[in-house]
Amino acid sequence: MLDLEKLANLRPSKKIPTGIEGFEHISQGGLPQGRATLVTGSSGSGKTLFCTEFLYRSITELDRPCVYVTMEEPIEDVVKNVIDLGWGLADFAKNGKLGLIDASMEAFAGEEVGAFNLKGLITQIKVAIEKIHAEIVLIDSIGALFHHFHDERTIRREILRTVNAFKSMNITVILTSERLEEYGLISRHGVEEFVADNVIILRSVLEEESVRRTIQILKMRGNPHIKGEFPITISNTGLSIMALSAMELKQSSSNVRCSFGNKRLDEMTNGGIFRDSILLVSGPTGGGKTLMCATFVEEACRNNEKILIFAYEESRQQLMRNAHSWGIDFEKWEKKGLLKVICHYPEAFGLEEHLLMIQREIAAFKPKRLVMDSVSAMERVSTVRNFREFVIGLTSFVKQEEVCSLFTSTTPRLSGGDSITEAHISTITDIIILLRYVEVGGAMRRGIAVIKMRGSQHEKEIREFEIDQFGMHIGEPFKNVQNIILGVPQTSGMPEVDRLEEMFAHGE
């Protein structure tokens, strides 16, 4: 007979945090306590790592004892797989924080007599739970049951028997299962997801010759959660979920300005850039972008401000040599602890790994300024959508940390023109500076213009500038040259050519 009074007093399940970076946001608090969660995914998607990290964080950060039941891999392999991560499962077992049960086929090898069921295994797990007062049980993976049962109804019955046995004890149960397709059946046999209260799908998809891992909460019975797929990355500290929806526009706004390191450019921007700004310098190859970065770096170091450089198109030796050719000594600032240079090819990692590395380097070095030369290089290792997610994640993070940042973007044409990067970054950057080549009287010259500056007036003219061994020299505005921004400059007469030549001849 139903206990109506008991039913009337039921409350929503309390959520317990997993400790996995980003998961509490997309799950809005963690996993429901006392319920069963299925974690499913193809081979290599990170199922076992997700679950093992949940156990590790539960033991070390929340003091929740756990039981780990392995049904496929021998227990020695399970322990060995996470040693490099510093997760000492064997030590937890010795200290009474973790119960290890080997239910793999190797452990139970032998002749079967009579009908196979899970009563013995359930009893063994219950004993382990009571011994260490466990609150969480992980069974990895229930797909092994299909080696013993061949009838779908029997399989479903035995899984339900197992799950309900522990739910009645208010134990949080985690099950893992394999799937054959990234966007096909939820689980290999199409049964596992129906006996679980919550379903989490991990995917490992090959996109343009790069592997991209994602996580999706398919269902969470009776509990709210954020829908959709979120990129994840695996590092030497575990899993990290890149949830763009977790990023909030709550950073403070500063009226304090800092210098570019060039007096004329400061004048063009009405006194320099705001300390919490993101600056995009866009131009063709050889247009002066790296020189602007070097000037920006030197100005920060002269003011005893830490600055971090991420270079994706030049090696460390090239950066040092180029800066030295303009009289800027990067090595001196490195020795003083004010400068840190990190060089990687974009192809070295996926975009999620790059973003995670940038975030951690900023958190460790704590710079006041940041340079990325060039962010457009990331376009070639990702899809348009993934690149946009990377840009949003990057700009949101540096805004949150209030790091004054300079990004460069290489335009596809020598004369300038639009780029994918400009379309993606222009709406979330505070300042955009365009560098252009200008042909005047058969000679190649350079032009510079500030086309956007949030919260401040700025100069609208396009000025000429030169590069020599002392750096960048910005001259007077072009007066009789049109369509420079469009990449098809046209002069209205020879007087402009004569004026420009005379101006630079006298060092103006």
Side-chain angles (χ1 to χ4, degrees), residues 255-497:
N255 289 320
V256 178
R257 293 181 185 257
C258 54
S259 173
F260 285 96
N262 182 283
K263 181 180 178 181
R264 186 60 66 90
L265 192 52
D266 289 342
E267 293 173 356
M268 292 175 66
T269 54
N270 197 29
I273 59 176
F274 292 121
R275 188 166 292 280
D276 59 350
S277 295
I278 296 177
L279 163 66
L280 174 67
V281 178
S282 176
T285 181
K289 299 185 299 298
T290 302
L291 172 57
M292 289 196 68
C293 293
T295 305
F296 190 71
V297 168
E298 185 179 39
E299 177 64 20
C301 294
R302 277 203 304 252
N303 292 318
N304 288 318
E305 295 178 343
K306 284 186 174 182
I307 185 164
L308 182 60
I309 300 177
F310 287 95
Y312 298 106
E313 294 183 316
E314 292 183 295
S315 68
R316 175 187 174 84
Q317 289 72 24
Q318 286 176 307
L319 285 176
M320 297 291 179
R321 180 198 64 194
N322 294 342
H324 191 267
S325 69
W326 300 311
I328 301 172
D329 191 348
F330 277 5
E331 292 181 347
K332 178 181 73 174
W333 302 121
E334 276 193 318
K335 290 176 182 177
K336 290 186 176 183
L338 294 172
L339 172 64
K340 186 172 184 179
V341 179
I342 298 173
C343 301
H344 289 296
Y345 279 116
E347 291 82 2
F349 314 103
L351 287 188
E352 290 80 19
E353 285 82 2
H354 277 294
L355 180 57
L356 181 63
M357 179 183 64
I358 293 168
Q359 291 174 344
R360 290 181 175 173
E361 289 289 348
I362 290 175
F365 190 61
K366 295 182 173 27
K368 289 292 185 181
R369 300 198 196 190
L370 170 72
V371 168
M372 289 193 64
D373 185 24
S374 75
V375 71
S376 58
M378 295 296 185
E379 295 177 60
R380 66 176 186 252
V381 297
S382 177
T383 63
V384 172
R385 175 191 169 188
N386 296 347
F387 177 72
R388 181 167 179 79
E389 289 179 355
F390 167 79
V391 169
I392 293 173
L394 173 62
T395 53
S396 299
F397 182 78
V398 297
K399 280 276 191 183
Q400 177 182 308
E401 297 298 314
E402 298 183 8
V403 180
C404 185
S405 304
L406 188 157
F407 301 155
T408 70
S409 168
T410 303
T411 53
R413 292 178 293 170
L414 286 178
S415 58
D418 296 333
S419 74
I420 296 175
T421 308
E422 288 176 25
H424 281 193
I425 303 180
S426 60
T427 58
I428 47 182
T429 52
D430 303 294
I431 308 168
I432 298 179
I433 294 178
L434 292 187
L435 304 179
R436 292 291 186 259
Y437 285 117
V438 183
E439 183 181 354
V440 180
M444 187 70 74
R445 302 183 184 275
R446 292 183 175 92
I448 183 170
V450 179
I451 67 167
K452 169 186 174 181
M453 189 169 183
R454 281 194 182 129
S456 174
Q457 293 297 317
H458 62 88
E459 197 174 273
K460 308 302 189 294
E461 289 86 359
I462 304 172
R463 290 180 176 267
E464 183 169 11
F465 75 94
E466 281 192 339
I467 298 174
D468 61 20
Q469 68 270 27
F470 302 108
M472 178 172 61
H473 307 280
I474 300 177
E476 296 299 317
F478 289 96
K479 295 297 184 182
N480 299 308
V481 182
Q482 302 173 346
N483 297 330
I484 295 175
I485 299 297
L486 298 178
V488 284
Q490 297 174 346
T491 59
S492 58
M494 286 302 295
E496 170 67 9
V497 179

Side-chain angles (χ1 to χ4, degrees), residues 65-67 93 96-100 127-135:
C66 306
V67 172
K97 295 293 185 180
L98 177 65
L100 295 172
V127 170
I129 291 172
E130 293 169 357
K131 182 178 179 180
I132 64 173
H133 305 289
E135 300 180 37

Side-chain angles (χ1 to χ4, degrees), residues 124-362:
Q124 187 179 358
I125 298 172
K126 282 184 175 180
V127 170
I129 291 172
E130 293 169 357
K131 182 178 179 180
I132 64 173
H133 305 289
E135 300 180 37
I136 299 167
V137 170
L138 165 62
I139 301 177
D140 183 25
S141 116
I142 59 173
L145 295 176
F146 294 88
H147 297 299
H148 301 288
F149 303 110
H150 302 287
D151 179 63
E152 182 179 308
R153 288 177 298 176
T154 303
I155 294 170
R156 187 165 183 165
R157 183 196 68 214
E158 290 301 315
I159 296 176
L160 275 171
R161 183 208 300 268
T162 304
V163 168
N164 291 333
F166 303 124
K167 286 173 64 176
S168 65
M169 301 169 65
N170 198 33
I171 299 296
T172 303
V173 183
I174 313 296
L175 310 168
T176 70
S177 177
E178 286 190 355
R179 63 196 309 235
L180 299 178
E181 299 176 287
E182 300 300 348
Y183 293 95
L185 291 173
I186 295 173
S187 58
R188 179 189 287 267
H189 300 282
V191 175
E192 301 92 313
E193 62 267 27
F194 295 106
V195 299
D197 303 297
N198 319 303
V199 176
I200 297 171
I201 299 176
L202 297 174
R203 294 186 175 92
S204 180
V205 181
L206 185 65
E207 293 183 348
E208 296 189 2
E209 300 181 358
S210 296
V211 174
R212 186 172 192 255
R213 292 186 173 92
T214 62
I215 185 170
Q216 175 191 5
I217 299 177
L218 182 67
K219 73 172 182 178
M220 193 170 277
R221 283 178 184 160
N223 287 274
H225 61 91
I226 298 179
K227 312 297 191 297
E229 284 187 76
F230 299 89
I232 62 175
T233 183
I234 298 175
S235 67
N236 57 0
T237 59
L239 282 168
S240 296
I241 300 171
M242 308 296 180
L244 296 181
S245 54
M247 299 168 184
E248 302 179 55
L249 294 173
K250 59 182 182 180
Q251 68 276 0
S252 61
S253 180
S254 173
N255 289 320
V256 178
R257 293 181 185 257
C258 54
S259 173
F260 285 96
N262 182 283
K263 181 180 178 181
R264 186 60 66 90
L265 192 52
D266 289 342
E267 293 173 356
M268 292 175 66
T269 54
N270 197 29
I273 59 176
F274 292 121
R275 188 166 292 280
D276 59 350
S277 295
I278 296 177
L279 163 66
L280 174 67
V281 178
S282 176
T285 181
K289 299 185 299 298
T290 302
L291 172 57
M292 289 196 68
C293 293
T295 305
F296 190 71
V297 168
E298 185 179 39
E299 177 64 20
C301 294
R302 277 203 304 252
N303 292 318
N304 288 318
E305 295 178 343
K306 284 186 174 182
I307 185 164
L308 182 60
I309 300 177
F310 287 95
Y312 298 106
E313 294 183 316
E314 292 183 295
S315 68
R316 175 187 174 84
Q317 289 72 24
Q318 286 176 307
L319 285 176
M320 297 291 179
R321 180 198 64 194
N322 294 342
H324 191 267
S325 69
W326 300 311
I328 301 172
D329 191 348
F330 277 5
E331 292 181 347
K332 178 181 73 174
W333 302 121
E334 276 193 318
K335 290 176 182 177
K336 290 186 176 183
L338 294 172
L339 172 64
K340 186 172 184 179
V341 179
I342 298 173
C343 301
H344 289 296
Y345 279 116
E347 291 82 2
F349 314 103
L351 287 188
E352 290 80 19
E353 285 82 2
H354 277 294
L355 180 57
L356 181 63
M357 179 183 64
I358 293 168
Q359 291 174 344
R360 290 181 175 173
E361 289 289 348
I362 290 175

